[in-house]
Amino acid sequence: MTDTITARLSDPATARESGHQKMDWAREHMPILAALREEYQADQPFAGERIGMAMHVEAKTAVLAELLAEGGAEVAITGCNPLSTHDDVSAALDAHENVVSYAERGVDDEAYYAAIEAVIGHEPTITVDDGMDLVAAIHEDYPELIDTIVGGCEETTTGVHRLRAMAEDGALEYPVFAVNDTPMKRLFDNVHGTGESVLASIAMTTNLSYAGKTVVVGGYGDCGKGLAKKAAGQNARVIVTEVEPRRALEAHMEGYEVMPMQEAAKEGDVFVTTTGNRDVITREDFEVMKDGVLLANAGHFDVEVDLDALADLAVDTFEARDGVRAYEMADGRELNVLAEGRLVNLATPIALGHPVEVMDQSFGVQAVCVRELVESGDEYGPGVHDVPDELDREVAEIKLDAEGVAYDDLTDDQAEYMGTWQHGT
């Protein structure tokens, strides 16, 4: 079994102290998880469960893992991206008596998948995934464990897409909640979280402004919408590229310029892909880009910017700045790739991911979905399931209460009116 992160650090004590400091700060700003922690510590709903997690191991995720452990579970966790782990946070988590962390930043593919196998070695009864690598590995290599798995939760758009494709092929053999698709995740995490954290990460990594620049957003789903809105708010000209006509029309009606990537490639100063698909920016685009452009990916996997084609075109590559690799073209132009084309808001050297308050909401949904699996997992068959609306509302209610926000309730007459077809003009 792979060594835990603690065994691989030269100074584990210092790392743990730093990690706990980050977790303490996050915990103070996560009222949803605080409320659930109080409930779960008292009720111990996860006693006897083994929860396997493959997620971005940083402070907010650590607070979720800690919550599940303090609710009675044995938790084994690793990363879902080779560059998104904070080693100090991973070490702090590994010090928890009910948590084992295998997550380490900067590992190669072999070590990355070895860590996932180490988590699977704990024989989880519930999986919590971000990108579906854990679910895929279990189905492909450890199918004998499936009968003892109650179900899983999937955090991100890419993972849900993969799971739905798997379910359509009849290959998904246990229930998984599409946490990404529920309103408390999608409307806040994808829109506000992605928009704010991506732009902040790029700005901190490059020390450059958006004002007066042209930002090209590849894809106008929830993440693209948030990114376009936030970039426009920082006085950038925004161009959107899309393959789906209704989303392209929506972007146009929102006031953004819409054009094919090949045309946008000539205009942009900053390019950010948000599609979850491959080859969004390709060789033909690189050939017409301006000198000094920034290329970043806000999708889950590092396939949206064709780095192989870019490397093939380059006559030289070098580190222009920590977290920025410059590719020099034959004509002297330099195209700059952030975070090796990986998830830019989590994989740059100083990336912090989504704002704490946003992830409190998303991870609140994760926490209640895990509880639902333990309490009622037998009611869900194999496949991808929407999060029950009452669970999503529960998380929203906790957040509003913590914020001191009051709201109206339907009267009995209003509820009756909305529930019947018999009222006419």
Side-chain angles (χ1 to χ4, degrees), residues 159-220:
V160 171
H161 285 170
R162 294 179 73 195
L163 284 165
R164 293 196 189 282
M166 192 176 180
E168 288 175 6
D169 288 344
L172 180 57
E173 297 188 36
Y174 63 79
V176 181
F177 282 126
V179 171
N180 176 80
D181 293 357
T182 200
M184 280 299 289
K185 201 277 186 187
R186 179 174 53 83
L187 297 178
F188 303 98
D189 183 314
N190 292 5
V191 175
H192 295 285
T194 300
E196 293 180 19
S197 63
V198 165
L199 292 176
S201 185
I202 294 172
M204 289 189 295
T205 302
T206 64
N207 198 30
L208 298 176
S209 172
Y210 296 101
K213 288 188 173 66
T214 297
V215 175
V216 177
V217 179
Y220 200 68

Side-chain angles (χ1 to χ4, degrees), residues 39 45 150 368-379 391:
E39 173 191 332
V150 178
V368 297
C369 283
V370 172
R371 186 190 65 201
E372 175 71 5
L373 287 170
V374 172
E375 294 177 350
S376 306
D378 292 342
E379 298 177 12
L391 298 184

Side-chain angles (χ1 to χ4, degrees), residues 198-332:
V198 165
L199 292 176
S201 185
I202 294 172
M204 289 189 295
T205 302
T206 64
N207 198 30
L208 298 176
S209 172
Y210 296 101
K213 288 188 173 66
T214 297
V215 175
V216 177
V217 179
Y220 200 68
D222 290 319
C223 294
K225 291 173 186 176
L227 186 59
K229 179 179 180 180
K230 304 293 183 179
Q234 296 201 40
N235 301 318
R237 170 196 177 200
V238 176
I239 296 174
V240 171
T241 72
E242 249 300 343
V243 297
E244 211 289 326
R246 291 159 295 185
R247 287 182 175 175
L249 180 58
E250 183 181 9
H252 171 70
M253 295 290 283
E254 288 292 330
Y256 303 117
E257 297 177 64
V258 179
M259 62 184 72
M261 181 61 78
Q262 179 72 105
E263 295 180 21
K266 303 171 187 176
E267 303 284 330
D269 300 300
V270 181
F271 295 79
V272 186
T273 58
T274 67
T275 71
N277 207 339
R278 60 175 298 164
D279 301 331
V280 181
I281 303 178
T282 62
R283 173 185 289 265
E284 292 75 17
D285 305 316
F286 302 137
E287 290 174 341
V288 299
M289 285 179 176
K290 296 187 292 187
D291 179 36
V293 300
L294 305 179
L295 301 170
N297 169 41
H300 188 79
F301 294 118
D302 59 339
V303 296
E304 304 207 17
V305 181
D306 189 349
L307 295 180
D308 289 338
L310 183 56
D312 186 55
L313 285 171
V315 296
D316 189 22
T317 67
F318 57 92
E319 288 296 313
R321 184 178 173 89
D322 195 17
V324 182
R325 175 159 287 276
Y327 290 74
E328 183 180 347
M329 302 292 101
D331 59 7

Side-chain angles (χ1 to χ4, degrees), residues 3-6 8 57 77-78 90-91 93-94 99-103:
D3 290 334
T4 67
I5 181 66
T6 301
R8 297 191 295 274
V57 180
I77 188 170
T78 189
S90 182
L93 258 185
D94 196 48
V99 181
V100 178
S101 180
Y102 299 99

Side-chain angles (χ1 to χ4, degrees), residues 116-172:
I116 286 178
E117 292 195 354
V119 169
I120 296 172
H122 291 260
E123 300 186 358
T125 57
I126 293 172
T127 61
V128 179
D129 227 330
D130 189 320
M132 207 205 85
D133 280 349
L134 186 60
V135 173
I138 289 171
H139 280 74
E140 291 172 1
D141 301 321
Y142 301 92
E144 68 277 8
L145 298 179
I146 291 173
D147 286 345
T148 57
I149 294 177
V150 178
C153 304
E154 171 54 50
E155 172 73 10
T156 198
T157 306
T158 298
V160 171
H161 285 170
R162 294 179 73 195
L163 284 165
R164 293 196 189 282
M166 192 176 180
E168 288 175 6
D169 288 344
L172 180 57

